[in-house]
Amino acid sequence: MDPSKMHEDKRRFVLHVVEERRIKFIQLWFTDVLGIPKSFQITPAELANALDEGMIIDGSAIDGFSRIQESDVIARPDPDSFTILPNQPQVARMFCDIINLDGTPFEGCPRNVLKRALDRTHALGLTFFVSPEIEYFYLDPTTTKPLDEGSYFDLSLSDKGSEIRKETVFALEEAGIAVKYSHHEDGPSQHEIDLRATDALAMADNVITTRLIISRIAANAGVLATFMPKPLAGVQGSGMHLHMALFDADDNLFADSATADGLSAQARHFIAGLLAHAAEMTAVTNQWVNSYKRLVPGYEAPADIAWAHHNRSALVRVPVAPSTREENYQVEYRAPDPACNPYLAFAVILAAGLDGLTNKLELPRETTENLFTLPETKRDALDITPLPSTLEEALLRMEESTLVRETLGDHVTEWFIRNKHSEWDRYNTRISQYELARYLRVL
């Protein structure tokens, strides 16, 4: 179908629903470069103009967007992302693409970064599907202590967090976000919601929406929901494991019934690309100082660059398919945390996998050993290298990466690196509570 005709059909649908459902406010959403959500509201009277021409906003007020002397940009809503917000029957939202005044895509818009990466995939006749496992904690907002001491899959009649999570799942479904699983995670008051796979752009929008819905419903219950990667010492942190597949029309490119494990040669090349570029894209998938408190051995988060079928200490895992249906064969990338910018994270992960696929990179041997306990000498003998252990190290690897720069573009890459070096410097010069408790009275 003609793209302009498709856009007009979607435009008419949005206008019809707004009129029929008597929507009073339409929130236009986008994110800054770090993935922090931003929005402004318009009334139905402005909706047709917004869909046709977009709305001018001051880009200099948004982190990573424009300089003051070239501040104006246009937020153009994507009608595909239209949804009525849960528990707010007269409020709808749409995600926006940020464009320049001349109509060209704005380089500082994270959504545009992902769309560029997906354009390359579409040029190959492929669609990139993602299904994330979103982990997070519920904490008492006053004491920041967990609400419970539960563990994996715990069921308790007095579990306040599970009741909030159940309400959250209902709200997500109401917003059109399909939930695959939800359960109590391993940490005290830690929870997980797994979203059903969809194309990467819609999923990035869904991740932003899911985080906001989780936080708002928790706040309404007097609870703090946090996606901080490692909010509690001594227990595992929160990850966002990504289950991924490439489809050629209805065929899963990662599946091959002729192989012993059902995994295709294309999937093996894709995994090889993920491993080859893992270190240089970690600053994007794990963008906070705190992210590296999670990526340590022993707490179910990967610390080394390796792959396996069943080994949960590996960075890339090929989960057991629940059936032999082709669509069930996926690759799981376990490094990202739920506080990353999903647009940028999906873009660099896809670029890394496609590099392996198009250049037919060879997959190294599978790692069956427990990497959390593997001695250094054996790790060296197996040629297993670690992920970056600090934000600074990750940034240095990112700065060396041609793939990351080409994927993010110069604008986002340079701003991101400057911002994160500044964060690292602030972290290093701040006196922590640990230092005060450890040294103040003994030195």
Side-chain angles (χ1 to χ4, degrees):
M1 183 183 290
D2 180 15
S4 61
K5 175 65 166 57
M6 290 179 61
H7 178 80
E8 179 60 25
D9 289 346
K10 294 169 186 173
R11 175 186 180 278
R12 288 178 179 173
F13 172 77
V14 169
L15 292 171
H16 172 73
V17 172
V18 167
E19 181 179 6
E20 185 180 65
R21 299 290 293 272
R22 298 182 179 180
I23 302 297
K24 292 186 175 180
F25 295 101
I26 301 95
Q27 295 182 355
L28 302 185
W29 291 11
F30 57 98
T31 77
D32 66 14
V33 172
L34 297 179
I36 306 301
K38 309 290 181 180
S39 76
F40 60 98
Q41 287 189 160
I42 61 173
T43 63
E46 295 293 328
L47 180 57
N49 181 63
L51 288 167
D52 292 340
E53 300 180 10
M55 307 294 288
I56 293 178
I57 62 172
D58 178 7
S60 67
I62 309 300
D63 279 345
F65 273 29
S66 307
R67 297 175 297 179
I68 192 69
Q69 67 269 29
E70 49 188 32
S71 60
D72 286 346
V73 290
I74 296 173
R76 185 167 61 193
D78 179 353
D80 278 341
S81 67
F82 177 85
T83 192
I84 298 172
L85 294 176
N87 304 317
Q88 301 180 72
Q90 293 183 312
V91 181
R93 73 98 168 99
M94 281 185 285
F95 279 91
C96 292
D97 298 315
I98 307 301
I99 61 176
N100 295 308
L101 296 180
D102 63 3
T104 57
F106 174 57
E107 289 190 348
C109 173
R111 204 169 190 265
N112 289 340
V113 169
L114 178 56
K115 290 177 77 171
R116 285 200 308 269
L118 292 174
D119 284 345
R120 182 184 173 198
T121 313
H122 298 155
L124 298 172
L126 304 175
T127 305
F128 183 46
F129 281 83
V130 181
S131 173
E133 303 175 5
I134 302 176
E135 298 174 350
Y136 60 97
F137 283 85
Y138 288 130
L139 303 176
D140 183 296
T142 303
T143 64
T144 66
K145 292 182 178 180
L147 305 183
D148 62 64
E149 295 298 325
S151 185
Y152 273 125
F153 307 122
D154 274 3
L155 174 63
S156 170
L157 296 179
S158 61
D159 184 354
K160 182 178 181 180
S162 292
E163 288 300 310
I164 299 171
R165 190 187 72 238
K166 181 173 68 175
E167 185 180 346
T168 300
V169 171
F170 292 155
L172 291 172
E173 295 279 357
E174 186 181 339
I177 298 175
V179 175
K180 188 175 182 180
Y181 301 116
S182 73
H183 59 86
H184 197 293
E185 251 292 337
D186 184 46
S189 204
Q190 187 182 34
H191 294 258
E192 177 177 312
I193 295 178
D194 300 353
L195 304 184
R196 190 170 294 279
T198 188
D199 70 275
L201 183 63
M203 184 54 74
D205 292 343
N206 286 349
V207 169
I208 298 296
T209 306
T210 298
R211 293 194 309 214
L212 284 168
I213 289 175
I214 288 171
S215 297
R216 287 177 179 175
I217 290 179
N220 290 340
V223 170
L224 170 66
T226 180
F227 302 96
M228 184 177 176
K230 186 82 167 183
L232 304 175
V235 300
Q236 73 177 53
S238 292
M240 187 172 72
H241 304 161
L242 301 178
H243 296 256
M244 305 173 292
L246 285 171
F247 277 77
D248 181 358
D250 294 329
D251 298 324
N252 184 354
L253 206 67
F254 288 175
D256 185 351
S257 58
T259 64
D261 59 1
L263 204 62
S264 69
Q266 292 95 326
R268 295 175 188 277
H269 295 317
F270 191 91
I271 295 171
L274 295 178
L275 299 178
H277 298 287
E280 66 206 61
M281 65 185 182
T282 301
V284 179
T285 60
N286 305 83
Q287 67 174 11
W288 307 99
V289 165
N290 181 257
S291 298
Y292 298 85
K293 304 290 178 71
R294 168 182 165 258
L295 298 179
V296 295
Y299 291 98
E300 298 199 14
D304 295 292
I305 300 172
W307 80 280
H309 281 86
H310 313 299
N311 188 348
R312 291 181 182 271
S313 67
L315 171 65
V316 181
R317 198 170 73 93
V318 182
V320 176
S323 75
T324 57
R325 291 190 313 221
E326 283 193 358
E327 63 265 29
N328 290 319
Y329 288 90
Q330 301 175 344
V331 169
E332 179 185 3
Y333 193 68
R334 297 172 60 82
D337 60 55
C340 72
N341 183 335
Y343 300 103
L344 303 187
F346 292 179
V348 295
I349 289 169
L350 174 59
L354 287 181
D355 182 65
L357 183 61
T358 56
N359 290 305
K360 300 188 184 312
L361 298 185
E362 288 299 317
L363 187 63
R365 67 175 290 276
E366 179 182 0
T367 300
T368 56
E369 296 86 352
N370 182 350
L371 292 168
F372 298 150
T373 59
L374 194 66
E376 191 75 27
T377 52
K378 191 166 185 181
R379 186 181 282 108
D380 291 341
L382 296 173
D383 200 27
I384 295 173
T385 58
L387 285 170
S389 59
T390 66
L391 179 60
E392 181 186 43
E393 183 185 348
L395 289 170
L396 293 176
R397 297 300 301 271
M398 177 181 173
E399 288 175 303
E400 299 168 351
S401 173
T402 301
L403 179 134
V404 171
R405 178 172 287 273
E406 290 179 347
T407 303
L408 300 185
D410 288 339
H411 181 117
V412 170
T413 300
E414 291 171 9
W415 185 90
F416 187 95
I417 288 172
R418 285 198 308 270
N419 178 277
K420 289 299 162 182
H421 273 305
S422 177
E423 179 183 343
W424 177 252
D425 290 341
R426 291 194 303 271
Y427 172 74
N428 274 338
T429 55
R430 182 165 183 169
I431 310 304
S432 68
Q433 190 58 44
Y434 168 83
E435 292 169 281
L436 294 174
R438 177 70 177 85
Y439 303 124
L440 190 63
R441 298 184 183 278
V442 298
L443 296 181

